Each structure stands twice: as C-alpha cells, then as structure tokens.
C-alpha cells in the first residue's frame, strides 16, 4: 500500500517509462510541478491530477480512492471562480440599478 498519492503517482509514471519532464509536457505542467506533486510539496487537487491520470492511462476506478480524498479544485481555480462570480453579481446589480432608474 502507498503512503501518499505522490508515491503512487511516481510509481505509475515510472511504470510507463516516462520522465517527469515527459509527463509534464503531455499535460502542460513543468517538470518541477510534477515533482512537487510526487513529493507532496504541492497539494494534489482533482483538477490538477485528472490530466496526469489520463496521460498515464490509469483506469478511473483505480484512481477513484485518491481522487475522492482530494479537493475538487485548486486554490487558484477557486479564486478565479469566486472572482468571476463576484463580477457577475456586480454586473447584475449594475443592470438592476439601471433598469430601476428608467
């Protein structure tokens, strides 16, 4: 049994014969980002990990126990989504004020 997601990911990557650089290139990450996920220095989130799982041709059922324990979105994605939501609300409020003054 694996102690961490990173250890599992590293073993799966090595089993394919891929380097961190090659895997990173397939999914739009740097070698450093892949290494940080494997070492546990970067928090694994489902939105970051799914492309890696697909690139390594790992069955979804095998990855499910790991994915279930992860946050769905990275903090950056959550911030972006929150910002977009706030902008939409501000736009809607501005529209309502404009309509009310007519």
């Amino acid at each position: 049994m694996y102690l961490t997601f990173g250890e599992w990911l590293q073993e799966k990557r090595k089993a394919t014969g891929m380097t961190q650089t090659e895997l990173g290139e397939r999914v739009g990450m740097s070698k450093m980002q892949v290494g940080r996920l494997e070492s546990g220095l970067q928090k694994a989130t489902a939105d970051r990990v799914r492309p890696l799982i697909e690139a390594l041709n790992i069955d979804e059922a095998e990855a499910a126990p790991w994915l279930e324990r992860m946050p769905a979105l990275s903090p950056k994605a959550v911030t972006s989504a929150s910002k977009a939501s706030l902008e939409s609300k501000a736009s809607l409020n501005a529209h309502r004020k404009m309509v009310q003054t007519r």
Side-chain angles (χ1 to χ4, degrees):
M1 189 66 177
Y2 305 96
L3 297 177
T4 67
F5 168 76
E7 292 171 338
W8 176 78
L9 180 65
Q10 183 179 51
E11 185 170 296
K12 294 296 182 181
R13 177 186 55 77
K14 287 182 175 181
T16 67
M18 250 189 268
T19 66
Q20 289 177 339
T21 301
E22 291 167 333
L23 178 57
E25 287 173 354
R26 287 187 182 201
V27 298
M29 287 184 184
S30 69
K31 173 188 176 191
M32 181 184 279
Q33 287 173 303
V34 174
R36 290 176 62 84
L37 282 169
E38 288 182 353
S39 68
L41 293 174
Q42 184 172 351
K43 187 171 184 152
T45 57
D47 65 321
R48 286 184 184 150
V49 169
R50 283 190 190 281
L52 296 168
I53 291 169
E54 291 172 13
L56 294 170
N57 294 316
I58 298 171
D59 184 62
E60 183 77 22
E62 183 181 355
W66 295 107
L67 292 169
E68 289 169 358
R69 291 184 241 155
M70 292 177 191
L73 297 172
S74 66
K76 184 177 180 181
V78 170
T79 301
S80 296
S82 296
K83 184 178 177 185
S85 177
L86 289 173
E87 289 171 355
S88 288
K89 287 179 184 176
S91 176
L92 179 60
N93 287 337
H95 176 73
R96 285 181 180 154
K97 286 180 183 178
M98 185 175 71
V99 170
Q100 288 174 350
T101 58
R102 288 185 178 175

